Amino acid sequence: MTDERLRDLHDHLVATGELPVERSASHYLGEAEAVVEDALEPGTTEAVVQRRVEQARELLSNVEETGDERADGHVEAARACCTELLDD
């Protein structure tokens, strides 16, 4: 997994937190951001990073729409990052 792609994933999730998203979506997005942030900690093993990305993907699967078009775009980009990271 690439650090750059993991940071991109985190950046997209952080960006959703700066936008007016629906409450239920906000919960899942916040959780996804937290698990990806954990994966970015120095010294995190590859196995833990993979588990965190899988958790983020699962959390994102619960977000159908955010109520904000820009946030929806970040969610889609975050999903694509998860797919790319897990396919490596």
Side-chain angles (χ1 to χ4, degrees), residues 27-62:
H27 169 76
Y28 290 113
L29 294 168
E31 289 292 322
E33 180 184 339
V35 298
V36 173
E37 189 171 322
D38 182 57
L40 285 168
E41 289 294 317
T44 304
T45 67
E46 189 72 24
V48 170
V49 170
Q50 181 170 345
R51 237 182 355 258
R52 296 296 181 253
V53 173
E54 288 169 353
Q55 289 172 321
R57 180 175 60 182
E58 177 64 29
L59 289 161
L60 290 171
S61 75
N62 292 296

Side-chain angles (χ1 to χ4, degrees), residues 5 8-22 24-30 32-33 36 56-84:
R5 212 56 194 140
D8 287 345
L9 171 57
H10 186 258
D11 290 347
H12 285 295
L13 294 169
V14 168
T16 64
E18 299 169 356
L19 298 168
V21 299
E22 294 176 355
S24 62
S26 178
H27 169 76
Y28 290 113
L29 294 168
E33 180 184 339
V36 173
R57 180 175 60 182
E58 177 64 29
L59 289 161
L60 290 171
S61 75
N62 292 296
V63 178
E64 292 184 25
E65 61 180 50
T66 64
D68 183 274
E69 190 173 301
R70 295 166 297 169
D72 289 342
H74 284 294
V75 170
E76 287 306 313
R79 286 181 178 138
C81 288
C82 288
T83 298
E84 290 175 25

